[in-house]
Amino acid sequence: MAVRAVRGAVQLDQDDAGHMTERVSTLLTAVLERNELVADDLISIWFTATPDLHSDFPAAAARAIGIVDVPLICAQELDVAGAMPRVVRILAHVETYLAKSEIAHVYLGATAALRKDIAQ
């Protein structure tokens, strides 16, 4: 078994706590499903949000779907001119038997344009 990093992102339509929970939950569920992981495989998750998101902590969505005993941290993404707005990104550290090349990084909707090289 190895420690691997899984990336992902999702864009919100508006800065609303309920909408953030819905979108980030969808992202986390997709990361787990596409990599055949369960919550117990998670080591930690870093969340970043663009500076235009203020309504809630993205990590709250993880708690809402039952990820309760995994260290989570939120940070603000760099405020770069022209960057895609209302984006939550994740970097999840997991224990898995998957090779690096088998990891499915999950970029939902418009965020697939952020990492065309690894988006699934």
Side-chain angles (χ1 to χ4, degrees):
M1 184 163 303
V3 173
R4 301 283 185 224
V6 184
R7 293 289 317 270
V10 66
Q11 185 178 41
L12 280 61
D13 295 328
Q14 73 255 355
D15 183 22
D16 172 78
H19 183 60
M20 181 178 292
T21 297
E22 174 190 329
R23 288 285 172 95
V24 175
S25 296
T26 299
L27 173 61
L28 292 170
T29 300
V31 165
L32 293 173
E33 288 176 357
R34 293 182 193 182
N35 289 287
E36 299 179 7
L37 300 167
V38 296
D40 198 45
D41 298 325
L42 295 167
I43 297 169
S44 64
I45 306 174
W46 279 83
F47 295 86
T48 64
T50 51
D52 51 3
L53 295 175
H54 317 272
S55 62
D56 203 357
F57 295 100
R63 302 292 184 224
I65 63 169
I67 300 172
V68 296
D69 62 350
V70 175
L72 309 174
I73 193 164
C74 297
Q76 189 175 78
E77 193 70 36
L78 293 173
D79 191 8
V80 176
M84 186 179 290
R86 300 177 316 280
V87 173
V88 174
R89 292 170 173 85
I90 67 163
L91 174 62
H93 299 96
V94 303
E95 291 181 316
T96 181
Y97 288 105
L98 295 175
K100 283 183 185 180
S101 62
E102 297 173 308
I103 295 293
H105 303 283
V106 180
Y107 288 80
L108 299 178
T111 64
L114 297 172
R115 288 300 305 265
K116 292 178 184 175
D117 58 326
I118 63 172
Q120 305 275 318

